[in-house]
Amino acid sequence: MTQNLQSLVLAMCLVLPTIALAQEPVESGSVNAGSPTAEQETDLGTLQAELARVEAERQRLAQRLDNSSDSQELQRLRETNRELQNQQIENDVQARASLEKQRQQWFMVGGGTVLLSLLIGFMLARSSKRKRNEWIN
């Protein structure tokens, strides 16, 4: 944002003096208002040469500003994008590993519960048969 503002201020500084010179009023009181004098022709030639020099300098600066800031900004954004993509891949791998570990833990808890239930069931079934046999005898 500040680079755009700086380039706008730079462009305005370069353009304003040329606009002021280009809009210089013609004196209506002069005798030869229709034909320029030799002095006016030299001034006009000097001003046109300066305008061409200033315009070339403005274009060079604008191109340099665009090239440097855009390429640096683009490079920075690409690096940030790569870092974020790598971070997302790492997070996905960690999430999958965590989910697999959680599934294995629940499987073990379920298997342990089934084995414990079967063991308790067999123990209760054996003890109840002995009591029944004792009652019958």
Side-chain angles (χ1 to χ4, degrees):
M1 178 76 179
T2 59
Q3 290 179 352
N4 290 338
L5 183 62
Q6 288 174 349
S7 62
L8 180 63
V9 169
L10 177 64
M12 291 302 293
C13 289
L14 291 174
V15 171
L16 283 179
T18 58
I19 291 174
L21 291 174
Q23 294 179 352
E24 189 174 295
V26 176
E27 295 178 16
S28 60
S30 71
V31 178
N32 293 333
S35 65
T37 63
E39 185 179 316
Q40 289 176 341
E41 286 179 7
T42 348
D43 288 344
L44 183 63
T46 305
L47 291 176
Q48 287 176 344
E50 188 174 342
L51 175 63
R53 182 188 62 78
V54 168
E55 183 64 25
E57 180 72 13
R58 185 194 64 78
Q59 287 178 352
R60 184 186 66 79
L61 288 173
Q63 184 179 14
R64 186 172 135 201
L65 181 65
D66 287 342
N67 289 342
S68 67
S69 66
D70 287 347
S71 65
Q72 289 173 354
E73 180 82 11
L74 185 61
Q75 184 66 24
R76 185 183 61 79
L77 290 174
R78 283 183 179 159
E79 286 179 22
T80 305
N81 190 19
R82 269 189 241 118
E83 288 172 5
L84 290 174
Q85 285 176 345
N86 290 338
Q87 194 175 32
Q88 182 183 9
I89 290 170
E90 289 175 14
N91 288 341
D92 287 345
V93 168
Q94 288 177 354
R96 286 186 190 129
S98 176
L99 181 62
E100 187 64 29
K101 184 177 179 181
Q102 189 178 18
R103 285 181 181 168
Q104 288 175 354
Q105 286 175 345
W106 280 112
F107 181 78
M108 294 300 289
V109 168
T113 304
V114 168
L115 287 175
L116 186 61
S117 298
L118 286 174
L119 182 63
I120 291 173
F122 284 129
M123 289 173 61
L124 289 176
R126 286 188 153 212
S127 67
S128 65
K129 284 183 183 178
R130 289 182 186 163
K131 288 182 181 178
R132 284 184 192 163
N133 288 340
E134 292 175 2
W135 290 351
I136 297 174
N137 291 336

